[in-house]
Amino acid sequence: MPSRRVTWDIILVLIILSAVIIAPAAYLAAQSRRDISEQFIRTAAGQAGARFRSMTLSIETTLGLMRDWGAGGQLQLNDDDELTRLLFPVFGKEPLLSGISVADIDGGSYYLRRDGGEFRSRLVTRGKEQDNAEEKRWSAGGEVLERTVSTSSYDPRTRPWFAPALVSADACWTAPYEFFSVPQVGVTASASFLRKEDDRRFVVAFDLLLDQPFEGFFKLAPSKNSRVIILRRDNMLYMPGSAGTDPGFAPIAGVEDALLRKVLAGWTGEDRLADRVIPVLHDGVVWWSGFRPLERENPTTWICVMVPEFDIEGQAGGRMARVIVMGFISLLAAVGLVFWIVRRHRGPFEGTALFDPGNAEAGIRKLIEGGENRTVEFKSTMRMNLHTRKPGKEIELAWIKGAAAFLNTDGGVLLLGVSDDGGITGLERDVFENEDKCRLHFKNLISKHLGAAHSKYIRFHVVPMDGKRVGVVCCARAKEPVFVKEGGREHFYIRNGPSSEELPVSQALSYIKHRKG
């Protein structure tokens, strides 16, 4: 059996093994899901942000071009036919455009919008009480298909895109609102310019229906079952248009979707407007949800990506495989460490295969049958002189010399409680109070005469046999020379046939020099 120290060492290794494999595996499993969820969300949100920035940049660039045209006198409200044909290519360049407005500070305006595969224009002249609005229907090729005249109360100066553009040097974006010409919700980008020929101030504006720039966002869901929503920091949620409903933002408080309510409830606190990834449990499924602003500089509109954990598990499989490989490598390392510990504590006895503690009684009988030889020796007692019937130091030294000889040669087994002729006399003749006292006495003698450092090469077993007890001293070949300390002197013994032989100093030195550990 392994020593108590070996047992504790093995237990310690198993604890370390658990810490090395189980804890990192559990951590990495959870971290994998979070990391992959964040990656999903970063990808979807990044694509949405890139799409939004690309759209706004393109619109603002084209709007800047329109400002240059206006400043150079190309945007003339008194020639709507020429203006229409000038603006047709702009719609081809900006497919998200719904309409284009040009208005002056007196309230005069021109408006051109898409209408299916055709276009409609409206020119409103201020100062006329009747028939102040001329509307035309245009083919995609620029031909007038229909012309009507009516009275209109439309005043561009009351629209949300007009006034901000007059006081800003950059393009201005409105919040979503309902357009005048069509009952649909959208946003408008506007900018002002000063016409050089008469120093008159104008505003040019681009209309975009919400469903046009936002429609593509819902297609950015990163997995089969994931969802994408768009919301504003004023607690408004974007609802795409569907049969019987118009697109637009609705109050979050009116949302009936239970999952969405849980996700939005988790997006609270002081860091509400910060980038976050949060897990939400819904119907037994964990949903990883992340929030990212569409515009970093002005985070008013946010995209939220919700991914169910079962969509992530396949992605996490590769990482978990790496965890398993790492765990397997750790297991091999730990097994190697256990093997090293056992070898360190039990290795010295690998060369002594003469006695099997697991089949002790049969092993002793086999040793007795083979008689005393180079690796086996019998001693009737451990300490008792059978002639004087008193404990004797000479008796103790006799078997200690034999043990030292085994250690200095090739190892061997010393049987205590067995007479020279193989008879079992038993340790009872040593008259120990109990077995513990016997073991303690054995340990003290080894420490005193051979040195405690050499006890690692010796194992002592007490085996019941025929109603008596036999002491089995297993000695391995020591890696260093072992001397017997007696009366202030040291003696060196080796095994020579069936007996132990002391070597003189000169021979001992030569023997030790040529001896391999």
Side-chain angles (χ1 to χ4, degrees), residues 155-173:
D155 188 344
R157 295 171 295 185
T158 64
R159 307 309 291 166
W161 48 265
F162 190 88
L166 292 176
V167 295
S168 175
D170 300 319
C172 298
W173 288 85

Side-chain angles (χ1 to χ4, degrees), residues 80-134:
D80 61 330
D81 287 355
E82 181 64 26
L83 188 54
T84 300
R85 293 185 177 92
L86 179 65
L87 296 182
F88 267 175
V90 179
F91 284 92
K93 181 179 183 299
E94 298 292 347
L96 294 180
L97 268 182
S98 171
I100 301 176
S101 296
V102 180
D104 61 26
I105 58 174
D106 294 325
S109 65
Y110 167 85
Y111 182 58
L112 179 65
R113 66 178 176 88
R114 296 180 194 267
D115 186 15
E118 300 176 343
F119 290 85
R120 290 185 181 271
S121 67
R122 182 187 71 236
L123 179 64
V124 178
T125 303
R126 304 300 298 177
K128 294 177 62 176
E129 295 183 359
Q130 294 181 344
D131 297 336
N132 66 330
E134 182 180 21

Side-chain angles (χ1 to χ4, degrees), residues 35-47 277 292 305:
D35 290 348
I36 294 173
S37 298
E38 291 181 346
Q39 184 60 48
F40 273 26
I41 290 164
R42 279 195 297 269
T43 300
Q47 291 175 347
V277 174
R292 296 290 187 273
V305 182

Side-chain angles (χ1 to χ4, degrees), residues 20-21 59 96 119 128 181 258 278 308 312 318 369 406 426 465 477:
V20 168
I21 297 178
I59 291 293
L96 294 180
F119 290 85
K128 294 177 62 176
S181 300
I278 57 174
I312 300 172
E369 290 176 3
F406 285 141
M465 284 191 63
R477 175 184 172 87

Side-chain angles (χ1 to χ4, degrees), residues 56 59-61 63-64 67 164-165 168-174 188-192 204:
T56 57
I59 291 293
E60 290 176 2
T61 300
L63 195 60
R67 295 172 67 180
S168 175
D170 300 319
C172 298
W173 288 85
T174 68
T188 299
S190 60
S192 66
V204 60

Side-chain angles (χ1 to χ4, degrees), residues 240-282:
S242 59
T245 63
D246 293 326
F249 283 86
I252 290 176
V255 174
E256 297 182 358
D257 188 314
L259 170 61
L260 190 52
R261 291 183 67 87
K262 290 180 181 179
V263 170
L264 295 175
W267 195 46
T268 58
E270 295 180 358
D271 58 346
R272 175 171 182 167
L273 299 182
D275 292 0
R276 296 183 62 193
V277 174
I278 57 174
V280 172
L281 181 64
H282 177 68

Side-chain angles (χ1 to χ4, degrees), residues 14 16 48 156 177 257 279 300 326 347 354 357:
L14 293 177
I16 295 174
Y177 70 102
D257 188 314
T300 58
M326 185 187 73
L354 301 174

Side-chain angles (χ1 to χ4, degrees), residues 191-410:
S192 66
F193 63 88
L194 186 66
R195 194 163 63 183
K196 297 178 181 179
E197 62 185 46
D198 54 9
D199 286 337
R200 286 176 59 80
R201 180 69 62 178
F202 288 77
V203 174
V204 60
F206 288 174
D207 290 343
L208 293 86
L209 294 173
L210 280 186
D211 269 2
Q212 290 176 317
F214 287 172
E215 180 182 5
F217 292 173
F218 298 98
K219 299 177 182 179
L220 297 176
S223 64
K224 178 181 178 181
N225 300 289
S226 58
R227 297 171 58 183
V228 175
I229 62 173
I230 299 169
L231 63 159
R232 297 201 315 240
R233 65 181 179 184
D234 57 357
N235 293 321
M236 300 292 285
L237 177 71
Y238 177 72
M239 308 297 293
S242 59
T245 63
D246 293 326
F249 283 86
I252 290 176
V255 174
E256 297 182 358
D257 188 314
L259 170 61
L260 190 52
R261 291 183 67 87
K262 290 180 181 179
V263 170
L264 295 175
W267 195 46
T268 58
E270 295 180 358
D271 58 346
R272 175 171 182 167
L273 299 182
D275 292 0
R276 296 183 62 193
V277 174
I278 57 174
V280 172
L281 181 64
H282 177 68
D283 289 342
V285 176
V286 175
W287 286 74
W288 292 91
S289 306
F291 298 82
R292 296 290 187 273
L294 290 179
E295 292 183 279
R296 293 286 181 180
E297 297 76 13
N298 185 26
T300 58
T301 306
W302 295 70
I303 183 169
C304 172
V305 182
M306 299 180 292
V307 185
E309 193 165 77
F310 53 75
D311 276 7
I312 300 172
E313 290 175 351
Q315 299 289 332
R319 185 171 297 190
M320 289 307 300
R322 293 193 293 272
V323 173
I324 292 173
V325 171
M326 185 187 73
F328 180 72
I329 294 174
S330 300
L331 177 62
L332 291 180
V335 169
L337 182 59
V338 171
F339 178 79
W340 177 81
I341 290 174
V342 173
R343 181 181 178 87
R344 182 166 65 90
H345 288 277
R346 304 190 64 181
F349 298 93
E350 290 180 359
T352 307
L354 301 174
F355 177 73
D356 179 12
N359 193 16
E361 184 173 345
I364 291 174
R365 295 190 188 281
K366 184 176 180 180
L367 291 173
I368 291 175
E369 290 176 3
E372 292 184 306
N373 52 54
R374 180 181 173 84
T375 56
V376 178
E377 185 172 354
F378 306 152
K379 292 295 180 183
S380 298
T381 62
M382 181 187 294
R383 65 176 182 178
M384 187 65 68
N385 188 317
L386 298 180
H387 296 291
T388 64
R389 299 186 180 279
K390 294 180 181 180
K393 296 295 182 182
E394 70 283 357
I395 302 300
E396 296 172 343
L397 284 171
W399 67 263
I400 287 176
K401 293 174 182 178
F406 285 141
L407 297 176
N408 287 325
T409 314
D410 296 317

